[in-house]
Amino acid sequence: MKAILGKKIGMTQLFLEDGRVVPVTVVEAGPMFVTQVKTEETDGYNAIQVGFIDKKEKKMTQPLKGHFDKVNVGYKKYLREIRQDGAPAYNAGDEIKVDIFAAEDRIDVIGTSKGKGTQGPIKRWNYGRGPETHGSKSHRVGGARSAGTYPGKVLKGRKGSGKMGHERVTVQNLTIVRVDADKNLILIKGAIPGPKGGLVTIKETVKNG
């Protein structure tokens, strides 16, 4: 399972050799360092733990400092686990760079969507609007959501206003347009979840074709 952590930079566009314009998202991916190797014999599953983005020593807790010092890896801001199909091919302290991917590779991108705060049901759930004519008092309200008699209350699970966004989102089967190994950049066709500067995980797609 190929995967790498990255930071979303923003969007731009590329002109391909045939003249087509392709919208791309630029991601600063890696380098990341393997901080721990987990195997089925010792932990019950195969995975590697990786660290990404440098962090100052004074902002580290003592347990985490010891964790990084044990494998002689600089202090990192993010720690994530990447599951492996078989026994991991990496050792603690190994560096993983963006060159594990190439142009035309198919990938899945996992990120946290933009938080939009508290929203009404029209924006949050795509409810229809009320009448716009003069005298109507129901332009952008949610409307009736419960029975007037039995049980006389709003049942759990009904859609309404509330917090929107800031959720884990996975976009599948995207295409890598270009990889810049010198600048640790991946250019992905289309949009990916999250704001600028947000952490994303890029891994080979689980879909075929």
Side-chain angles (χ1 to χ4, degrees):
M1 172 61 71
K2 294 190 298 183
I4 195 168
L5 301 181
K7 181 175 69 173
K8 181 177 177 180
I9 303 299
M11 292 196 70
T12 183
Q13 61 185 17
L14 287 180
F15 286 88
L16 303 183
E17 293 181 358
D18 57 7
R20 289 181 297 132
V21 179
V22 177
V24 295
T25 302
V26 182
V27 178
E28 181 184 348
M32 61 183 189
F33 293 85
V34 179
T35 56
Q36 188 177 357
V37 177
K38 296 189 175 183
T39 61
E40 197 163 347
E41 293 76 15
T42 58
D43 301 277
Y45 62 97
N46 296 313
I48 57 173
Q49 184 192 77
V50 295
F52 177 59
I53 297 184
D54 293 335
K55 189 174 182 180
K56 294 181 179 179
E57 181 179 355
K58 66 179 182 180
K59 295 184 178 181
M60 300 294 298
T61 62
Q62 288 297 325
L64 276 178
K65 284 180 64 177
H67 184 65
F68 286 113
D69 291 340
K70 183 178 179 180
V71 293
N72 195 25
V73 170
Y75 306 123
K76 301 299 176 182
K77 182 177 181 180
Y78 298 108
L79 278 177
R80 294 292 187 272
E81 274 193 7
I82 300 173
R83 290 291 187 109
Q84 301 292 299
D85 297 330
Y90 297 98
N91 298 315
D94 286 352
E95 182 181 16
I96 302 176
K97 295 184 177 182
V98 72
D99 55 11
I100 61 174
F101 290 102
E104 302 301 327
D105 283 353
R106 294 283 184 166
I107 57 172
D108 296 340
V109 179
I110 305 170
T112 302
S113 62
K114 291 181 180 180
K116 300 182 183 300
T118 303
Q119 300 294 335
I122 291 180
K123 182 177 178 68
R124 192 182 185 204
W125 300 113
N126 199 30
Y127 275 18
R129 296 170 65 101
E132 294 296 328
T133 53
H134 179 69
S136 171
K137 298 180 181 179
S138 303
H139 300 306
R140 292 183 64 88
V141 299
R145 294 189 295 159
S146 64
T149 54
Y150 181 82
K153 64 179 181 180
V154 179
L155 299 176
K156 289 184 178 180
R158 291 287 292 179
K159 296 176 181 178
S161 59
K163 299 291 185 182
M164 181 180 177
H166 197 67
E167 298 175 335
R168 177 186 169 98
V169 177
T170 301
V171 180
Q172 295 182 319
N173 211 15
L174 297 176
T175 303
I176 294 178
V177 178
R178 184 179 299 173
V179 174
D180 190 335
D182 295 332
K183 298 181 179 179
N184 299 317
L185 297 178
I186 291 181
L187 278 63
I188 303 169
K189 183 178 180 180
I192 65 173
K196 294 179 182 179
L199 179 70
V200 296
T201 302
I202 302 171
K203 63 180 183 179
E204 57 183 335
T205 185
V206 296
K207 291 187 174 181
N208 295 322

